[in-house]
Amino acid sequence: RPETNNTVSPNPQSKVSELLRDSWADAGFATPETALRTRGWAVLNGDRERFKESVYVTDDARKILEDMFLKMAEASNDPNKAQYIQEILNNNYGVEDAILMPLMALNRDKNFTGYRILSQQSPSENEMVLQVETTMAAAPANKETLKFQNFDGNWKVVIDEDCIKAAH
């Protein structure tokens, strides 16, 4: 049976591609690669709305993360914790912000230099799994597996229970 161009390859491709920080831009979400560049740009620019558009948090993951953040806030010995919690509520910070803020802090401290896509595989035509290293000037590269899913032509990073377990 001859293969057609729209056949999705389940096999990992190991061609490394570099997305240097200079290439990060508000490039939209047409492909997993442009979505990754847009996500990086949102982190560099602290663009909460654009970052929020770049991720899809499943209901189960949202519940787990909200519970984790609440426990962390309640466990804090900070005398201003009530004020911080109120600020979070007032500013309508959500799970996406709780994912974005540490990334912004990491960039500020370690200076992101780019993304390196180590491998990619497509379990289906609407899914892409990328092994990505975030390279930094002041720290070793941080490697993670990002699951992308296509929602009506927009590729987003999926935050699910597996993703949370892998991060903790």
Side-chain angles (χ1 to χ4, degrees):
R1 193 180 113 208
E3 260 193 58
T4 58
N5 285 343
N6 59 5
T7 300
V8 177
S9 165
N11 303 330
Q13 296 175 356
S14 57
K15 180 187 75 140
V16 173
S17 62
E18 298 267 351
L19 299 177
L20 297 177
R21 177 184 175 132
D22 293 348
S23 76
W24 295 1
D26 189 355
F29 307 103
T31 68
E33 191 175 287
T34 56
L36 188 58
R37 289 175 51 214
T38 299
R39 182 179 196 244
W41 176 88
V43 170
L44 296 181
N45 291 282
D47 191 319
R48 291 173 57 200
E49 286 310 309
R50 207 59 172 152
F51 185 81
K52 197 172 186 173
E53 291 174 50
S54 79
V55 295
Y56 172 78
V57 182
T58 65
D59 290 342
D60 289 345
R62 185 174 300 279
K63 178 83 180 99
I64 291 167
L65 290 169
E66 285 171 351
D67 289 347
M68 280 173 38
F69 300 139
L70 196 57
K71 283 185 183 125
M72 284 168 44
E74 288 170 352
S76 169
N77 293 327
D78 192 310
N80 299 317
K81 81 176 173 188
Q83 176 189 334
Y84 294 144
I85 292 170
Q86 194 56 51
E87 211 171 285
I88 288 167
L89 296 172
N90 291 349
N91 287 305
N92 208 14
Y93 288 129
V95 167
E96 293 84 359
D97 293 299
I99 297 167
L100 172 61
M101 299 302 173
L103 289 172
M104 289 172 55
L106 186 61
N107 172 55
R108 188 179 55 243
D109 296 343
K110 306 297 184 195
N111 192 16
F112 292 169
T113 56
Y115 291 126
R116 187 177 297 131
I117 300 172
L118 304 176
S119 70
Q120 64 182 49
Q121 56 189 108
S122 301
S124 75
E125 74 180 277
N126 286 318
E127 293 176 285
M128 181 74 74
V129 178
L130 301 181
Q131 278 286 340
V132 178
E133 271 186 351
T134 302
T135 55
M136 298 174 253
N142 179 36
K143 192 191 297 189
E144 60 188 327
T145 301
L146 297 177
K147 286 192 266 191
F148 287 83
Q149 191 170 334
N150 188 339
F151 296 89
D152 299 323
N154 289 310
W155 288 87
K156 298 176 182 249
V157 174
V158 175
I159 310 291
D160 59 14
E161 287 182 80
D162 292 342
C163 177
I164 295 167
K165 286 176 188 155
H168 290 90

Short mmCIF file of all heavy atoms in Angstrom, two decimals, residues 13 15-16 23 33 38 43 46 49 55 60 70 74 83-84 95 97 117 157-158 161:
data_model
loop_
_atom_site.label_atom_id
_atom_site.label_comp_id
_atom_site.label_asym_id
_atom_site.label_seq_id
_atom_site.Cartn_x
_atom_site.Cartn_y
_atom_site.Cartn_z
N GLN A 13 10.77 11.05 15.34
CA GLN A 13 11.78 11.61 14.45
C GLN A 13 12.83 12.23 15.34
O GLN A 13 12.52 12.93 16.29
CB GLN A 13 11.17 12.67 13.54
CG GLN A 13 10.13 12.10 12.62
CD GLN A 13 9.45 13.20 11.81
OE1 GLN A 13 9.71 14.38 11.99
NE2 GLN A 13 8.57 12.79 10.92
N LYS A 15 15.45 14.27 14.35
CA LYS A 15 16.16 15.41 13.80
C LYS A 15 16.03 16.55 14.80
O LYS A 15 14.95 17.02 15.09
CB LYS A 15 15.54 15.80 12.45
CG LYS A 15 16.20 16.98 11.78
CD LYS A 15 15.43 17.39 10.55
CE LYS A 15 14.19 18.09 11.00
NZ LYS A 15 13.66 19.21 10.39
N VAL A 16 17.15 16.99 15.37
CA VAL A 16 17.12 18.06 16.36
C VAL A 16 16.90 19.38 15.64
O VAL A 16 17.55 19.67 14.64
CB VAL A 16 18.45 18.11 17.15
CG1 VAL A 16 18.50 19.32 18.05
CG2 VAL A 16 18.64 16.84 17.95
N SER A 23 14.13 33.86 17.69
CA SER A 23 13.04 33.45 16.79
C SER A 23 11.69 33.39 17.51
O SER A 23 10.66 33.20 16.88
CB SER A 23 13.34 32.09 16.15
OG SER A 23 13.12 31.04 17.08
N GLU A 33 5.34 23.86 16.42
CA GLU A 33 6.55 24.69 16.49
C GLU A 33 6.20 26.17 16.68
O GLU A 33 6.81 26.84 17.52
CB GLU A 33 7.39 24.50 15.22
CG GLU A 33 8.76 25.11 15.34
CD GLU A 33 9.63 24.83 14.13
OE1 GLU A 33 10.07 23.67 13.98
OE2 GLU A 33 9.86 25.76 13.35
N THR A 38 5.48 30.91 20.25
CA THR A 38 4.56 31.87 20.85
C THR A 38 4.57 31.73 22.37
O THR A 38 4.56 32.73 23.10
CB THR A 38 3.13 31.68 20.29
OG1 THR A 38 3.17 31.91 18.88
CG2 THR A 38 2.13 32.63 20.93
N VAL A 43 6.25 33.96 27.67
CA VAL A 43 7.03 33.89 28.91
C VAL A 43 7.98 35.10 28.98
O VAL A 43 8.05 35.79 30.00
CB VAL A 43 7.82 32.57 29.01
CG1 VAL A 43 8.82 32.61 30.16
CG2 VAL A 43 6.87 31.39 29.17
N GLY A 46 5.86 38.22 29.59
CA GLY A 46 4.88 38.21 30.68
C GLY A 46 3.46 38.42 30.17
O GLY A 46 2.64 39.02 30.85
N GLU A 49 -2.37 36.59 28.84
CA GLU A 49 -3.46 36.15 27.94
C GLU A 49 -2.93 35.23 26.85
O GLU A 49 -3.53 34.20 26.56
CB GLU A 49 -4.18 37.35 27.33
CG GLU A 49 -5.07 38.08 28.32
CD GLU A 49 -6.03 37.15 29.08
OE1 GLU A 49 -6.73 36.35 28.43
OE2 GLU A 49 -6.05 37.21 30.32
N VAL A 55 -1.94 27.03 26.23
CA VAL A 55 -2.08 25.78 26.98
C VAL A 55 -3.54 25.37 27.09
O VAL A 55 -4.44 26.19 27.03
CB VAL A 55 -1.47 25.88 28.41
CG1 VAL A 55 0.02 26.08 28.36
CG2 VAL A 55 -2.13 26.95 29.24
N ASP A 60 -9.31 17.50 35.20
CA ASP A 60 -8.66 16.75 36.29
C ASP A 60 -7.37 17.43 36.72
O ASP A 60 -7.10 17.56 37.92
CB ASP A 60 -8.37 15.31 35.86
CG ASP A 60 -9.64 14.47 35.75
OD1 ASP A 60 -10.70 14.91 36.27
OD2 ASP A 60 -9.58 13.38 35.15
N LEU A 70 -3.50 25.74 46.72
CA LEU A 70 -4.19 26.12 47.94
C LEU A 70 -3.45 25.59 49.17
O LEU A 70 -3.23 26.32 50.13
CB LEU A 70 -5.64 25.61 47.91
CG LEU A 70 -6.59 26.23 48.91
CD1 LEU A 70 -6.66 27.74 48.74
CD2 LEU A 70 -7.99 25.65 48.74
N GLU A 74 -1.81 27.81 52.09
CA GLU A 74 -2.22 27.64 53.49
C GLU A 74 -1.06 27.23 54.38
O GLU A 74 -1.03 27.57 55.56
CB GLU A 74 -3.36 26.61 53.57
CG GLU A 74 -4.67 27.14 53.03
CD GLU A 74 -5.74 26.07 52.87
OE1 GLU A 74 -5.42 24.87 53.05
OE2 GLU A 74 -6.88 26.44 52.58
N GLN A 83 -3.12 38.34 52.52
CA GLN A 83 -3.07 39.42 51.53
C GLN A 83 -2.72 38.85 50.15
O GLN A 83 -3.32 39.22 49.14
CB GLN A 83 -2.03 40.45 51.96
CG GLN A 83 -1.81 41.58 50.96
CD GLN A 83 -0.61 42.44 51.33
OE1 GLN A 83 -0.24 42.52 52.50
NE2 GLN A 83 0.00 43.05 50.34
N TYR A 84 -1.75 37.93 50.10
CA TYR A 84 -1.35 37.31 48.83
C TYR A 84 -2.50 36.52 48.22
O TYR A 84 -2.77 36.60 47.03
CB TYR A 84 -0.14 36.39 49.01
CG TYR A 84 1.13 37.11 49.41
CD1 TYR A 84 2.03 36.52 50.27
CD2 TYR A 84 1.43 38.38 48.91
CE1 TYR A 84 3.20 37.17 50.65
CE2 TYR A 84 2.59 39.03 49.28
CZ TYR A 84 3.47 38.43 50.15
OH TYR A 84 4.62 39.07 50.52
N VAL A 95 -4.74 28.78 37.17
CA VAL A 95 -3.74 27.72 37.05
C VAL A 95 -2.70 28.09 35.99
O VAL A 95 -1.50 27.88 36.18
CB VAL A 95 -4.44 26.39 36.73
CG1 VAL A 95 -3.45 25.33 36.29
CG2 VAL A 95 -5.23 25.91 37.94
N ASP A 97 -1.63 31.01 35.15
CA ASP A 97 -0.69 31.98 35.73
C ASP A 97 0.30 31.29 36.66
O ASP A 97 1.47 31.66 36.71
CB ASP A 97 -1.44 33.06 36.51
CG ASP A 97 -2.27 33.94 35.58
OD1 ASP A 97 -1.68 34.59 34.70
OD2 ASP A 97 -3.50 33.97 35.75
N ILE A 117 14.32 21.08 20.04
CA ILE A 117 13.39 19.96 19.90
C ILE A 117 14.22 18.73 19.59
O ILE A 117 14.84 18.62 18.53
CB ILE A 117 12.35 20.23 18.79
CG1 ILE A 117 11.55 21.49 19.13
CG2 ILE A 117 11.43 19.02 18.62
CD1 ILE A 117 10.62 21.97 18.02
N VAL A 157 -0.28 23.29 24.22
CA VAL A 157 0.38 22.34 25.12
C VAL A 157 -0.70 21.83 26.07
O VAL A 157 -1.39 22.62 26.72
CB VAL A 157 1.52 22.99 25.92
CG1 VAL A 157 2.09 22.02 26.95
CG2 VAL A 157 2.61 23.48 24.98
N VAL A 158 -0.85 20.51 26.16
CA VAL A 158 -1.84 19.91 27.04
C VAL A 158 -1.22 19.66 28.42
O VAL A 158 -0.18 19.01 28.53
CB VAL A 158 -2.37 18.58 26.46
CG1 VAL A 158 -3.32 17.90 27.42
CG2 VAL A 158 -3.06 18.84 25.12
N GLU A 161 -2.95 15.07 33.92
CA GLU A 161 -2.44 14.41 35.13
C GLU A 161 -1.04 13.85 34.92
O GLU A 161 -0.19 13.95 35.79
CB GLU A 161 -3.39 13.29 35.57
CG GLU A 161 -4.67 13.79 36.19
CD GLU A 161 -5.56 12.65 36.66
OE1 GLU A 161 -5.28 12.12 37.76
OE2 GLU A 161 -6.50 12.30 35.93
#
